[in-house]
Amino acid sequence: MGVVHHSNYICYYEEARSAFMRHIGTSYADMEARGVVMPILHVESDYRRSAYYDDELTVRISVSDVPKARFITNYEVFNSKGESLNTGSTTLGFLRKDNMRPCRAPQWFVDLLIANGLESDN
């Protein structure tokens, strides 16, 4: 059919999150090196229009709240015509790498988000 399979949108979200992390000055590798892992806890994805093979897509990511114990990101996927194809969100948790127990968002990560324009409610 030439239509992008629905499961690929989750990969687009992940790539957008990775690019976002690099943009604010860190990476998943850096997070793990500092002793924290971020597993996916929840994914939502709403499909509006189909993307087709060889379409050039843009994924916009936004973060509305400074994370405490969960990191929620929102996405919108557009085609080259600027048409909205998909919206979604992911919720990631924070776990200590040494014991895989939940922890709060590292303060250095929160500070990076705030330094890049996310407003804190504290």
Side-chain angles (χ1 to χ4, degrees):
M1 293 184 338
V3 174
V4 172
H5 192 269
H6 67 278
S7 64
N8 287 313
Y9 289 87
I10 307 308
C11 297
Y12 302 155
Y13 299 167
E14 183 172 11
E15 180 55 33
R17 259 192 336 273
S18 294
F20 173 79
M21 297 273 290
R22 287 188 301 274
H23 174 76
I24 67 167
T26 192
S27 67
Y28 281 114
D30 188 32
M31 182 76 74
E32 287 196 25
R34 292 176 180 230
V36 177
V37 295
M38 297 172 64
I40 293 282
L41 304 175
H42 182 77
V43 175
E44 289 185 18
S45 192
D46 294 310
Y47 305 93
R48 297 177 175 179
R49 296 174 184 238
S50 295
Y52 296 93
Y53 295 141
D54 208 33
D55 276 352
E56 290 186 29
L57 304 177
T58 299
V59 181
R60 289 193 190 140
I61 185 171
S62 63
V63 178
S64 56
D65 295 314
V66 173
K68 290 181 175 64
R70 296 174 184 236
F71 182 48
I72 300 170
T73 51
N74 302 295
Y75 311 89
E76 191 164 9
V77 181
F78 298 90
N79 63 17
S80 60
K81 297 176 186 173
E83 298 169 321
S84 178
L85 307 179
N86 173 277
T87 59
S89 68
T90 55
T91 303
L92 288 78
F94 296 95
L95 300 179
R96 289 185 42 186
K97 188 176 178 181
D98 61 353
N99 61 15
M100 300 306 275
R101 297 189 74 131
C103 63
R104 287 183 126 349
Q107 189 60 50
W108 63 266
F109 181 64
V110 169
D111 292 344
L112 279 175
L113 291 168
I114 292 169
N116 282 276
L118 190 59
E119 294 185 22
S120 174
D121 58 356
N122 295 335

